Amino acid sequence: RVVRGRVCLHKASTRCRQPLGLLFVGSTGNHQGRCGKTGRGGWCGRKLGLLLGRRQPLGSAQPKSGRGGEPIGQCLEMDRWDKDCEAAFELALPPQWECRDCSWGSSGTWQALPKEVSSQLNAFGRRGQRRGNITVGGRELVVDLQDNVAVPSDQYGRTPMHLRKSVRQPRVDKRAMKQFYAKYMEELPPADHAGGPDGIAGEKFLQFFQDIEVDPATDVTALAIAAACKASEMGVFRRREFICGCAALEVDSIDEFRKKIPELRSRVLSGESLEEVYTYTFGVAIDPPCKVLPLEDASAYWALLLPNWPLREPFCEWASQHMKGKVINRDLWSMVLKLAVEVPADLSGYDDNPAWPVVFDEFVEFYRAQQGL
């Protein structure tokens, strides 16, 4: 189902009544011809669609020049690229932390820390936090990541445990990945963005998906790719985000990307990676500082993420008529997935969980009465 009546950004008071696809307004070029308004670079200054289109006007997609007048994609400095790869690789394949007891008489063997503890230590590192507290086996430890030691909080300075992290390098060729990225990149403000001073956006973004043979308007694989990149904006893959996605998927060329598409699609639709992609989608779909998603937008995402949920259309139709506010917050978004995955279509197991939100109770009451259940 397409969404209609988005606001064209060239004039906030004007509503363009041309239909919007899930990716870009007029991505086929029809919108520009009908609307008659164009923004920079020949694009209509418009709201982008729901799936991977950013809700702001894009800059020119024309190639910019670097030193010596060569296209910017050809003058990426290799030393900067290597640093970006190192940072992105850790994000794509988080290091596993290990500890070793250094007390007298200890065997001194390295043991893997629990996954959640490794995640906590990695978070310390990303924030530049040197010290922090973790809990391992019921013991609270004070961690110093500069010296890579951890000691019991009630015995600071005694019997420390040494820490080390094990980093797995992705099976990708950095130079091949750099050439791959250069084909689509353009400068994107701000220059000091944490994800890099450039990225893939606008027409190049569309071209990328065309080249890997994915239709973002109808294929959930586009969301899976964005989740792998950990993209922070709709319709944009910043440099480090693109590297992160390539590392996570272990691809460094168009051909390898195409080969990966069936697996990505299957993992989402089978439920293997559904929760991860579903959770990511809400965070990137909302427009900060807003913390809720319009029901109309949420319904379009559910059509992609939960195509086989028998109650999806009845629930969306009921919600559009009866739900107050017509918005979905993060908690309700999460509970919809739980309802879709755990409760049969006949709602036979619904009453086993007393913690469902009130809006679900109202829908179930309505649906059972309608179906005579």
Side-chain angles (χ1 to χ4, degrees):
R1 177 161 89 89
V2 297
V3 182
R4 301 179 183 272
R6 291 289 177 192
V7 179
C8 282
L9 295 184
H10 61 257
K11 186 177 181 182
S13 62
T14 301
R15 279 195 172 269
C16 174
R17 296 298 176 181
Q18 302 304 326
L20 296 175
L22 287 177
L23 177 62
F24 288 104
V25 177
S27 59
T28 61
N30 293 333
H31 179 82
Q32 178 179 327
R34 296 173 183 169
C35 176
K37 299 289 185 180
T38 57
R40 291 178 294 169
W43 282 75
C44 172
R46 75 288 191 203
K47 278 225 173 189
L48 300 181
L50 296 178
L51 180 54
L52 292 171
R54 185 57 184 159
R55 295 182 174 99
Q56 62 186 22
L58 294 171
S60 171
Q62 299 299 319
K64 300 187 179 182
S65 296
R67 295 186 298 270
E70 59 185 304
I72 188 172
Q74 298 177 10
C75 60
L76 286 169
E77 297 178 0
M78 199 62 198
D79 57 345
R80 171 67 187 272
W81 181 260
D82 287 339
K83 291 179 181 178
D84 287 331
C85 284
E86 183 180 351
F89 287 175
E90 281 207 10
L91 191 60
L93 304 171
Q96 173 64 50
W97 285 81
E98 300 173 321
C99 67
R100 183 175 66 183
D101 189 352
C102 296
S103 60
W104 180 259
S106 170
S107 61
T109 57
W110 290 99
Q111 296 182 336
L113 289 170
K115 185 177 180 180
E116 59 273 15
V117 175
S118 287
S119 298
Q120 192 174 359
L121 293 174
N122 290 330
F124 290 165
R126 287 194 298 271
R127 293 194 295 265
Q129 181 177 339
R130 175 180 172 180
R131 291 187 177 89
N133 289 9
I134 61 173
T135 301
V136 179
R139 291 191 305 166
E140 185 176 5
L141 304 174
V142 179
V143 173
D144 187 324
L145 291 185
Q146 182 169 321
D147 296 330
N148 280 340
V149 295
V151 298
S153 59
D154 56 346
Q155 300 179 22
Y156 194 82
R158 297 166 52 190
T159 61
M161 289 195 302
H162 284 179
L163 301 174
R164 72 176 183 184
K165 63 179 179 180
S166 175
V167 180
R168 181 172 78 83
Q169 292 296 315
R171 294 188 293 272
V172 293
D173 185 308
K174 291 182 183 179
R175 290 187 178 273
M177 188 166 53
K178 179 171 171 282
Q179 293 175 353
F180 180 26
Y181 175 69
K183 179 180 178 181
Y184 303 100
M185 63 160 286
E186 59 181 77
E187 285 184 344
L188 296 176
D192 59 351
H193 193 285
D198 42 60
I200 302 173
E203 292 178 352
K204 295 295 185 68
F205 190 85
L206 279 174
Q207 185 62 51
F208 167 73
F209 277 98
Q210 290 172 5
D211 289 348
I212 63 174
E213 299 176 356
V214 169
D215 179 6
T218 60
D219 195 339
V220 72
T221 310
L223 280 174
I225 292 171
C229 292
K230 297 179 174 24
S232 59
E233 302 173 66
M234 281 290 189
V236 178
F237 292 157
R238 289 274 178 176
R239 181 193 297 191
R240 287 193 178 185
E241 294 170 348
F242 183 82
I243 297 172
C244 175
C246 288
L249 302 176
E250 297 193 319
V251 296
D252 53 31
S253 69
I254 282 289
D255 289 339
E256 290 185 2
F257 234 117
R258 288 197 195 105
K259 293 176 183 177
K260 205 77 175 180
I261 298 305
E263 177 188 342
L264 284 172
R265 185 182 299 118
S266 174
R267 291 185 68 227
V268 177
L269 296 179
S270 68
E272 183 179 349
S273 64
L274 175 60
E275 183 175 0
E276 175 188 351
V277 175
Y278 186 91
T279 301
Y280 162 82
T281 298
F282 184 87
V284 77
I286 57 177
D287 279 331
C290 184
K291 296 183 179 180
V292 295
L293 191 63
L295 174 62
E296 195 172 25
D297 292 10
S299 298
Y301 284 115
W302 287 328
L304 284 172
L305 292 160
L306 305 172
N308 300 319
W309 180 30
L311 298 179
R312 175 176 55 82
E313 289 188 2
F315 175 73
C316 291
E317 183 177 351
W318 174 87
S320 67
Q321 297 176 15
H322 302 283
M323 201 171 81
K324 295 179 180 179
K326 303 292 190 296
V327 293
I328 306 296
N329 61 27
R330 187 180 294 274
D331 289 341
L332 186 56
W333 174 265
S334 299
M335 293 300 285
V336 166
L337 177 62
K338 186 179 178 68
L339 180 68
V341 172
E342 297 183 5
V343 177
D346 62 1
L347 298 172
S348 56
Y350 179 82
D351 297 322
D352 296 340
N353 184 351
W356 294 115
V358 173
V359 66
F360 284 6
D361 293 339
E362 294 174 351
F363 164 68
V364 169
E365 182 180 358
F366 170 86
Y367 186 76
R368 281 173 170 169
Q370 185 184 60
Q371 300 295 319
L373 298 177

